Amino acid sequence: MDPRALCFLSCCLLICVISAEIQERGRTLKAQRKRGLKTARPGEVKPSGAPGQRKPKSDRSQKSLQKKTPSVVVTPSPPASSILTQVLGRGHFQNVGDSLSLQAGETLELRCLGKVVHWKVPVYLEEEGEGRLRIKHFSQHSRLQLVNSTGADTGEYSCWAQHCQDAQCWEGEDRQGKTFIFFTDPEELFVPTENYYEVIQLRSNQPVLLPCQVTNPLAQVTLHREFPPEEVPVDGTDISFDVKKGFTIHRPRASLAGSLFCLASLGGVRQISTKYMLIYVNYPSSSPKPTIQASATSVQLGENFNVTCTVLSEPEIAVDFRWEYPGQKLGRPPYVSEWTNVVRQRGQVLRLGKARASGAPVPKEGPQNHCESLRPQDLFLKDVCP
């Protein structure tokens, strides 16, 4: 038989088998619809909108179970309260926030939970000793009381509790509390200090703080120069202000040196703070780096050769060179020439005339500056050839 005819007959037979199977499935589906899906499993939920379908009894029981079962609502746990609270009255307490404002003259009373509690208060109160500040320790908490408060008491108050077991005690981050308290005084806008002038080093390698703290967080504070009298711009990047600390100079520069002060204004009252005498001190960003190199590794007797020492440093840093070489004790004078390149490079050349066979020459140099002494750099030359 022809292969093509055989292939055609096979395809026809396959199509007939598939058609018969589809018809059989259609008959079965119609029969199930007529019986109302009696063969459905108990507890199955039929899709809504199907004509001629009844809801099985198991649906009612399912609904009753759903009504009886209460829904569980997961609520986030409240944040852990601080161990530091303010005592408002007998049995009345409130958690303290990041800051707190009280009028000068009011009594401050704080409570800190814990068996072993330590307190930290502004330095002004620590130096005062026993008097207006009273601290009492109890079995489960400690109490701090400050009477006759003044604007000078403005600052950070903190406490921490220790966990103790037997004879060992340790601290935990969850057992700490702190708050910054302003004692507002209309006659004292700044926290008073003893000094009229305060000298501060304006170092080029680190931020500088001008500690003009205010007693009222609502006071408007600006920074001024005394000579010439002008306001110093505060952009938040080079210079920023924090009501709890004062002005911070993040990028010190020589133009900010001189006498500066803070000016506070509130309700028609204007006051100036302590005057800060800023002295600019330039610190190099990195230590000078010396390198040494000879014009030749070996020379003939009587020939001249050069030894060059190069130091990479900032242009305003002074560099001094010091040489040590063979024959120096015999009185052989060196011929030294020095040069400077503005690309942060400075060097010095040592010329030694009429080389002599005096063992292994070891020229040494030790560049130094006013900030840091550097290790000497050694250069070893080969024996002088005859």
Side-chain angles (χ1 to χ4, degrees):
M1 182 179 290
D2 188 7
R4 293 181 180 178
L6 183 61
C7 181
F8 178 74
L9 292 175
S10 300
C11 292
C12 291
L13 181 61
L14 181 60
I15 292 173
C16 292
V17 172
I18 294 174
S19 178
E21 187 175 353
I22 292 175
Q23 292 178 1
E24 183 66 23
R25 289 185 179 179
R27 293 172 184 172
T28 305
L29 183 59
K30 289 181 180 179
Q32 288 181 354
R33 288 180 178 177
K34 289 180 180 180
R35 291 195 299 266
L37 293 178
K38 293 182 179 180
T39 58
R41 298 178 183 176
E44 286 185 349
V45 180
K46 296 187 294 183
S48 60
Q53 295 182 7
R54 295 182 179 179
K55 295 183 180 180
K57 297 181 179 180
S58 57
D59 278 355
R60 298 178 180 176
S61 60
Q62 185 101 0
K63 272 192 174 182
S64 61
L65 287 176
Q66 290 179 357
K67 291 180 181 178
K68 293 179 181 179
T69 305
S71 58
V72 179
V73 180
V74 180
T75 57
S77 57
S81 58
S82 173
I83 63 173
L84 182 63
T85 56
Q86 181 187 7
V87 181
L88 301 179
R90 187 176 183 85
H92 296 280
F93 311 94
Q94 73 172 6
N95 291 332
V96 294
D98 183 63
S99 62
L100 180 65
S101 295
L102 299 175
Q103 291 185 359
E106 290 186 8
T107 299
L108 170 68
E109 189 170 349
L110 300 175
R111 189 181 72 160
C112 189
L113 299 179
K115 295 183 179 180
V116 182
V117 176
H118 301 274
W119 291 90
K120 186 177 181 181
V121 296
V123 181
Y124 176 79
L125 287 174
E126 291 180 353
E127 296 176 351
E128 190 179 66
E130 294 292 336
R132 298 184 301 114
L133 181 66
R134 305 164 188 172
I135 297 177
K136 292 184 179 180
H137 300 283
F138 300 90
S139 60
Q140 298 295 330
H141 69 276
S142 179
R143 187 182 64 184
L144 179 146
Q145 189 179 38
L146 176 64
V147 298
N148 299 327
S149 60
T150 64
D153 301 327
T154 298
E156 184 178 87
Y157 293 74
S158 61
C159 70
W160 63 95
Q162 289 184 331
H163 300 272
C164 294
Q165 186 174 3
D166 297 335
Q168 296 182 352
C169 295
W170 63 93
E171 298 176 4
E173 296 182 357
D174 58 331
R175 306 294 294 171
Q176 298 179 1
K178 64 179 181 179
T179 185
F180 194 95
I181 302 179
F182 296 92
F183 290 95
T184 60
D185 188 348
E187 297 180 0
E188 291 287 350
L189 298 183
F190 287 104
V191 177
T193 58
E194 297 179 355
N195 301 324
Y196 182 75
Y197 265 101
E198 184 176 347
V199 178
I200 297 179
Q201 284 192 0
L202 191 64
R203 300 187 178 186
S204 60
N205 62 339
Q206 63 183 17
V208 177
L209 175 65
L210 307 183
C212 49
Q213 292 182 347
V214 292
T215 60
N216 194 320
L218 301 179
Q220 300 294 325
V221 187
T222 53
L223 184 62
H224 295 260
R225 180 186 298 277
E226 188 175 12
F227 302 108
E230 60 181 0
E231 181 178 349
V232 179
V234 178
D235 56 1
T237 303
D238 293 343
I239 304 177
S240 64
F241 177 73
D242 188 346
V243 71
K244 301 176 184 178
K245 298 178 180 179
F247 287 97
T248 301
I249 302 176
H250 300 278
R251 299 176 183 176
R253 55 184 185 271
S255 60
L256 292 175
S259 178
L260 302 182
F261 62 90
C262 307
L263 175 63
S265 58
L266 179 65
V269 179
R270 302 179 67 188
Q271 289 183 356
I272 65 172
S273 67
T274 298
K275 295 183 179 180
Y276 305 100
M277 181 61 66
L278 302 184
I279 300 177
Y280 182 74
V281 181
N282 184 28
Y283 279 76
S285 57
S286 61
S287 301
K289 300 178 181 178
T291 57
I292 190 169
Q293 185 178 6
S295 59
T297 57
S298 61
V299 294
Q300 298 291 335
L301 288 175
E303 291 184 352
N304 298 335
F305 63 92
N306 300 333
V307 180
T308 303
C309 175
T310 304
V311 178
L312 293 177
S313 66
E314 296 183 3
E316 59 272 12
I317 300 301
V319 178
D320 298 325
F321 293 89
R322 180 175 55 86
W323 291 93
E324 293 181 6
Y325 53 91
Q328 187 176 14
K329 295 182 179 180
L330 300 178
R332 297 183 62 191
Y335 302 93
V336 179
S337 62
E338 186 173 334
W339 53 272
T340 302
N341 191 349
V342 295
V343 191
R344 297 180 61 189
Q345 186 174 1
R346 187 171 184 176
Q348 196 176 77
V349 180
L350 173 70
R351 293 185 175 87
L352 298 178
K354 296 183 180 181
R356 301 178 182 178
S358 58
V362 185
K364 293 183 180 180
E365 58 82 27
Q368 298 178 347
N369 57 49
H370 64 279
C371 296
E372 181 180 1
S373 299
L374 303 178
R375 297 180 58 185
Q377 299 293 309
D378 297 344
L379 176 65
F380 295 88
L381 302 180
K382 295 182 180 179
D383 292 339
V384 179
C385 301

